[in-house]
Amino acid sequence: MTTYRVAVIGECMIELRREGDRLVDGFGGDTLNTAVYLARMNPSLHIHYVTALGPDGNSERMLAAWAEEGLDTRLVQRLADKNPGLYWIETDDRGERTFQYWRNDAAARYWLERDRNGAVQAALLEMDAIYLSGVSLAVLPAASRIALFELLARFRAGGGQVLFDNNYRPRLWTGVEDARAAYRRMLALTDTAFLTLDDEQALWGEESLDALLARTRRLGVTEIVLKRGGEPCLVATAEGLLEVPASPVPVEYILDTTAAGDSFSAGYLARRLVGDGPEQAAKAGHRLAGTVIQHRGAIIPSHFMPQ
């Protein structure tokens, strides 16, 4: 049986957070979270992670951890003069988090600009699907972002499937118009879009759900998954609009909402990419996200994963 190959493009950063009186370090990033959870949820998929790291010890630990999770790291570039970015995370009593970032010269910004760029691009064109996020776009210099769009256009023209999660982070963009232009171009290259409602409103302004879906469809997206936190998600396909409720999680069990959306996307794709329908896929996404928010950190211990 042919293995379905998925490349996940993005940035992984060193994560620092406080637990009681201790300072705890780890790593995370929106697309890395999705890649790990996708590999866990469906080991039959072959997941490549695509980024750049440095020569440092943290980069070595990341690579070892990713390999242990079953990710293929052969497309991770190592840049001798760069290091991973870093973020500090604080979580309030309701599980909501705030971040501080140090990433302006992180290695992941340069994965399309170095010696192995040609080989990595050639490998990406051989994949079955490519997944990336708004953060994957935002961290790139403008010229690299254009090169990525051109790569995705060639990939899609060859029959590849493009999967995009909006993950809009205003601080990473020079301005809202710059971000809107990039998102329009990205969505025009996208088959399945995961849209978080709050991010859509922050980027495009207040609009009705009908207007949001219509705007996204006009750009050419054929499957739209609208994430609304604990509210039912909406899945719009050519067959119509489907509403799938989330399994409620009591507020006292919610410890950390980090990676809730990333894990939902992984749960959804773990089923959808192997032919399951959108309702079954959305239920898997809700189930995984509901588990993740009951634990601290972006990537929960594997023994807590839902069955």
Side-chain angles (χ1 to χ4, degrees):
M1 187 174 74
T2 303
T3 300
Y4 197 90
R5 300 158 299 174
V6 184
V8 179
I9 298 173
E11 176 189 32
C12 183
M13 305 176 71
I14 301 164
E15 175 187 276
L16 295 178
R17 67 183 188 277
R18 190 175 299 282
E19 289 188 2
D21 295 330
R22 296 185 307 133
L23 189 64
V24 178
D25 70 313
F27 57 85
D30 62 339
T31 56
L32 187 277
N33 302 335
T34 299
V36 168
Y37 286 126
L38 185 54
R40 288 182 180 182
M41 290 290 286
N42 194 337
S44 69
L45 299 172
H46 191 111
I47 312 298
H48 295 256
Y49 195 59
V50 182
T51 191
L53 295 173
D56 55 290
N58 283 312
S59 295
E60 291 290 345
R61 285 188 287 274
M62 286 182 187
L63 285 170
W66 301 348
E68 190 172 339
E69 290 283 0
L71 301 183
D72 192 321
T73 62
R74 287 176 292 177
L75 300 183
V76 177
Q77 299 189 66
R78 305 294 298 276
L79 307 184
D81 58 340
K82 304 295 178 186
N83 293 302
L86 179 148
Y87 67 94
W88 167 259
I89 183 170
E90 292 182 299
T91 309
D92 65 21
D93 294 338
R94 296 174 298 171
E96 295 298 329
R97 70 273 195 231
T98 56
F99 300 90
Q100 297 179 61
Y101 293 98
W102 295 264
R103 73 195 318 170
N104 288 343
D105 198 40
R109 288 175 50 84
Y110 305 101
W111 74 270
L112 270 166
E113 297 183 8
R114 295 303 179 91
D115 294 342
R116 287 188 60 209
N117 170 42
V120 171
Q121 289 202 44
L124 287 172
L125 292 173
E126 297 299 317
M127 299 293 164
D128 297 297
I130 293 177
Y131 176 96
L132 68 161
S133 77
V135 175
S136 309
L137 299 178
V139 299
L140 295 177
S144 292
R145 197 178 304 140
I146 292 170
L148 178 57
F149 290 145
E150 293 171 349
L151 170 67
L152 293 174
R154 296 199 306 274
F155 172 73
R156 200 172 184 225
Q161 186 177 11
V162 177
L163 317 164
F164 177 65
D165 193 306
N166 65 347
N167 268 13
Y168 173 54
R169 300 295 177 262
R171 287 177 294 179
L172 295 179
W173 295 92
T174 57
V176 68
E177 290 303 327
D178 181 36
R180 286 175 179 172
Y183 274 68
R184 288 189 189 98
R185 187 162 181 184
M186 181 66 228
L187 288 166
L189 297 166
T190 296
D191 296 288
T192 299
F194 295 91
L195 307 179
T196 299
L197 182 57
D198 290 347
D199 289 353
E200 285 294 284
Q201 292 172 338
L203 178 58
W204 303 102
E206 295 289 339
E207 59 185 352
S208 68
L209 290 179
D210 287 344
L212 185 160
L213 294 172
R215 171 175 48 76
T216 308
R217 285 192 180 107
R218 283 196 300 271
L219 289 167
V221 180
T222 55
E223 184 162 321
I224 305 166
V225 185
L226 185 62
K227 298 182 283 188
R228 301 189 293 174
E231 298 298 315
C233 71
L234 299 177
V235 184
T237 66
E239 286 71 43
L241 186 63
L242 181 68
E243 183 175 85
V244 184
S247 300
V249 178
V251 65
E252 62 269 23
Y253 291 174
I254 300 175
L255 298 181
D256 187 351
T257 57
T258 303
D262 308 332
S263 58
F264 176 93
S265 299
Y268 186 95
L269 290 172
R271 305 311 324 151
R272 197 74 172 107
L273 292 178
V274 295
D276 288 345
E279 182 173 9
Q280 186 174 358
K283 287 179 178 178
H286 281 313
R287 185 165 57 251
L288 178 55
T291 301
V292 167
I293 64 177
Q294 296 181 59
H295 302 275
R296 297 196 183 280
I299 299 174
I300 67 175
S302 58
H303 60 270
F304 288 125
M305 292 287 292
Q307 298 301 312

